[in-house]
């Protein structure tokens, strides 16, 4: 069964369980797979409480992407005021949150997008500079924007098409954070290629940053707090009944959707 993230109401708890009770609104992201369902059995340590200030539909749309953004900007590379960051796919699900969060943390944000419409959104989400990569070379523009210094960190979810350019866009001792491969797997890279600028390279996973219960609660808690305070804006542009999941996927594949898509169990 499909689905890696969901929000729901607890209908039963196991014997002796404390900390969670029937009626609680909780969220989860990751394993076990199978959130395309009306009911699901989940391990208690894998769910997080959803604050009453957060719409459950918003929480469902953001829990996985939001926690990914959190560990990327707060722990994988800790953004601080004065940093300059490059975010590929800046109008995408995670990219949008990265831009908003990095801006709020005091960074100068450079984003790459494919269209003028997405450039407008990226600006709204806090990008100080937006590069439409189909119209201009992003490496050249980053070099111009940074006066030849390069950026402190690149957040790259595109992979193959942007990898080498991302490395070229980094400053000395910069951080290359590759967390996706929408354009395909990157070509092999000899370690010696990192030596000229003493670069750092990492391929992180959310689940290695939420190994403990405390890490999971802290990560999700900061996401929800930033939504409640207005630091993060979440776009839920489409909802479908769960019974129309196939149509939702068809619309996604034909690029008829934008922002987040949420499936809601029939009758709710």
């Amino acid at each position: 069964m499909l689905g890696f993230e969901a929000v729901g109401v607890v209908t039963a708890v196991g014997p002796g369980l404390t900390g969670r009770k029937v009626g609680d609104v909780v969220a989860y992201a990751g394993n076990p797979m199978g959130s395309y369902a009306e009911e699901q059995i989940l391990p208690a340590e894998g769910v997080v409480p959803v604050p009453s200030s957060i719409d459950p539909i918003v929480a469902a749309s953001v829990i996985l992407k939001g926690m990914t953004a959190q560990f990327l900007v707060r722990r994988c590379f800790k953004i601080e005021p004065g940093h300059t960051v490059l975010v590929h796919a800046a109008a995408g699900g995670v990219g949008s949150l990265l831009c908003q969060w990095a801006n709020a943390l005091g960074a100068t944000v450079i984003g790459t997008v494919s269209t003028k419409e997405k450039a407008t959104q990226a600006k709204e989400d806090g990008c100080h500079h937006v590069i439409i990569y189909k119209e201009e070379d992003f490496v050249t523009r980053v070099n111009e924007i940074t006066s030849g210094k390069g950026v402190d960190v690149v957040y790259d979810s595109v992979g193959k098409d942007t990898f080498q350019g991302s490395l070229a866009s980094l400053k000395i001792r910069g951080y290359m954070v590759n967390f996706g491969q929408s354009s395909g797997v990157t070509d092999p890279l000899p370690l010696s290629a990192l030596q000229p600028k003493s670069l750092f390279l990492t391929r992180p996973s959310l689940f290695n940053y939420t190994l403990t219960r405390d890490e999971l609660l802290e990560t999700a808690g900061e996401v929800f707090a930033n939504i409640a305070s207005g630091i993060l804006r979440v776009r839920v542009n489409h909802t479908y009944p769960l019974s129309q999941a196939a149509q939702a996927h068809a619309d996604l594949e034909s690029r008829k959707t934008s922002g987040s898509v949420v499936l809601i169990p029939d009758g709710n």
Side-chain angles (χ1 to χ4, degrees):
M1 187 179 293
L2 297 175
F4 274 108
E5 57 185 327
V7 168
V9 178
V10 176
T11 58
V13 297
L17 179 69
T18 60
R20 265 75 76 203
K21 65 184 185 300
V22 172
D24 284 351
V25 179
V26 298
Y28 94 100
N31 293 318
M33 194 171 180
S35 64
Y36 283 28
E38 293 181 347
E39 294 188 348
Q40 192 175 11
I41 298 174
L42 295 169
E45 67 272 12
V47 303
V48 297
V50 176
S52 59
S53 59
I54 305 297
D55 186 318
I57 292 176
V58 170
S61 75
V62 79
I63 184 66
L64 182 59
K65 295 186 287 289
M67 290 201 299
T68 298
Q70 192 276 351
F71 92 82
L72 289 174
V73 302
R74 299 289 283 157
R75 289 180 287 155
C76 187
F77 178 89
K78 190 172 183 179
I79 291 179
E80 296 178 349
H83 282 150
T84 302
V85 308
L86 173 62
V87 179
H88 289 300
V94 176
S96 168
L97 299 175
L98 285 174
C99 293
Q100 295 177 61
W101 211 322
N103 182 296
L105 291 171
T108 297
V109 184
I110 305 170
T112 70
V113 297
S114 59
T115 67
K116 291 180 179 178
E117 291 76 18
K118 290 181 178 180
T120 298
Q121 179 188 312
K123 278 282 190 181
E124 293 173 354
D125 288 340
C127 280
H128 300 89
H129 308 275
V130 182
I131 302 167
I132 302 176
Y133 64 82
K134 292 184 177 181
E135 298 180 2
E136 52 188 344
D137 177 65
F138 76 83
V139 179
T140 301
R141 280 293 294 132
V142 168
N143 191 58
E144 293 170 353
I145 293 166
T146 63
S147 300
K149 295 179 181 179
V151 299
D152 294 277
V153 59
V154 177
Y155 293 111
D156 189 343
S157 62
V158 177
K160 185 179 180 66
D161 290 352
T162 53
F163 186 68
Q164 290 296 335
S166 293
L167 292 173
S169 299
L170 287 166
K171 68 189 302 183
I172 290 175
R173 300 197 305 271
Y175 279 72
M176 172 66 186
V177 181
N178 173 247
F179 66 100
Q181 51 195 39
S182 62
S183 68
V185 179
T186 60
D187 294 327
L189 181 79
L191 284 175
S192 58
L194 305 177
Q195 184 272 331
K197 292 194 288 186
S198 297
L199 299 178
F200 296 86
L201 169 62
T202 183
R203 180 60 168 88
S205 165
L206 166 65
F207 308 112
N208 289 326
Y209 282 81
T210 52
L211 288 175
T212 68
R213 178 72 180 162
D214 285 345
E215 286 178 335
L216 178 63
L217 290 173
E218 179 182 356
T219 303
E222 191 168 359
V223 172
F224 291 143
N226 281 350
I227 294 171
S229 68
I231 289 175
L232 296 180
R233 180 174 63 254
V234 182
R235 296 178 177 86
V236 182
N237 293 340
H238 308 273
T239 60
Y240 295 78
L242 181 59
S243 59
Q244 294 181 19
Q247 183 62 53
H249 277 259
D251 290 349
L252 281 166
E253 291 168 10
S254 61
R255 298 180 179 270
K256 293 181 180 178
T257 67
S258 63
S260 296
V261 176
V262 177
L263 301 177
I264 300 175
D266 298 60
N268 285 268

